[in-house]
Amino acid sequence: MANVSLNPPAPAVDPAIIAAFRDATTPSISDNLDRLPGLVGLRPFHRGGKLVGTAFTVQVRSGDNLAIHQALNEVRPGDVLVVAGGGDTSRALVGDIMKAIAESRGCAGFVIDGAIRDSGIFAASDFPCYARAAIHRGPYKQGPGATNIPVSIGGWTVDPGDVVVGDEDGVVTFPASIASSLIEAVRAQDQREAEVLQMIREGRYDGRYGKVPAR
């Protein structure tokens, strides 16, 4: 059996930061991250519910979930298991048993660059799960793998300890160090958009939404 390199998790993120982003949408966050790609290609498999937490990253070999099992022994309440599986969808990396383990340990959700199975269980649950596909075929458990290292998913790098936010439109991540300025920008944008919607309702929209913003 190949080894799994277990690295310590990043420092916990201030709970106030996590709370601040519970009402923030991923489009607004993305707009204020220069509309960079984020974690493209993933979709929600759960019934509903917002994903907000701290990235506990996992690197696995395609179709192999040994490192995920090891990560579930280390995950902290509020952590999001962010799994770089190379986008392989030929074998599921997580299913209902691993979901149950994660929930029992306070894990905030799954972000899987690969496939899941037992999708009906996820679809009936509010435990957040984002992945590329669902398939019945199970994984290998041979390794190798690593935890809490920078990983790349869909053209975007996720670092251990990044803030992870997911909703119906997808998943974005960002360093906790920029959270304060980012949430201010997101709230300012939300206010501007609320004003535009009010103008539309009142029949006085002036076309401002289609103009390039001043730099």
Side-chain angles (χ1 to χ4, degrees):
M1 180 182 295
N3 288 330
V4 173
S5 177
L6 297 174
N7 299 298
V13 174
D14 184 345
I17 291 176
I18 301 301
F21 281 91
R22 291 203 178 278
D23 294 326
T25 66
T26 59
S28 290
I29 296 170
S30 178
D31 283 354
N32 288 283
L33 290 172
D34 295 324
R35 300 186 175 182
L36 292 171
L39 282 64
V40 299
L42 308 184
R43 65 182 179 88
F45 279 83
H46 54 290
R47 177 175 57 194
K50 186 71 169 285
L51 172 64
V52 187
T54 305
F56 189 115
T57 61
V58 186
Q59 181 74 56
V60 302
R61 179 171 66 92
S62 295
D64 190 296
N65 73 355
L66 178 64
I68 306 174
H69 281 282
Q70 296 295 321
L72 286 172
N73 293 329
E74 308 291 333
V75 72
R76 304 168 302 188
D79 282 341
V80 178
L81 221 56
V82 178
V83 180
D88 179 78
T89 58
S90 64
R91 294 183 180 276
L93 293 176
V94 299
D96 61 339
I97 296 297
M98 298 179 81
K99 171 183 174 294
I101 296 169
E103 286 187 287
S104 74
R105 294 178 179 168
C107 180
F110 289 155
V111 175
I112 310 292
D113 187 18
I116 67 165
R117 65 178 181 178
D118 305 316
S119 58
I121 301 295
F122 284 98
S125 169
D126 291 330
F127 179 77
C129 177
Y130 295 81
R132 291 193 180 273
I135 190 170
H136 59 279
R137 297 176 68 192
Y140 300 108
K141 291 179 171 61
Q142 299 170 340
T147 67
N148 288 309
I149 61 171
V151 297
S152 178
I153 297 178
W156 186 254
T157 298
V158 183
D159 290 313
D162 278 357
V163 179
V164 183
V165 181
D167 59 17
E168 299 87 348
D169 292 311
V171 180
V172 294
T173 70
F174 52 88
S177 60
I178 69 168
S180 295
S181 59
L182 179 58
I183 194 62
E184 289 180 6
V186 166
R187 288 170 174 166
Q189 175 170 325
D190 289 346
Q191 179 61 36
R192 291 193 301 271
E193 293 186 353
E195 292 171 357
V196 169
L197 289 169
Q198 184 65 27
M199 293 174 71
I200 294 169
R201 286 191 292 268
E202 295 174 354
R204 55 186 182 88
Y205 175 60
D206 58 5
R208 66 181 62 184
Y209 199 65
K211 297 176 182 178
V212 177
R215 292 288 184 179

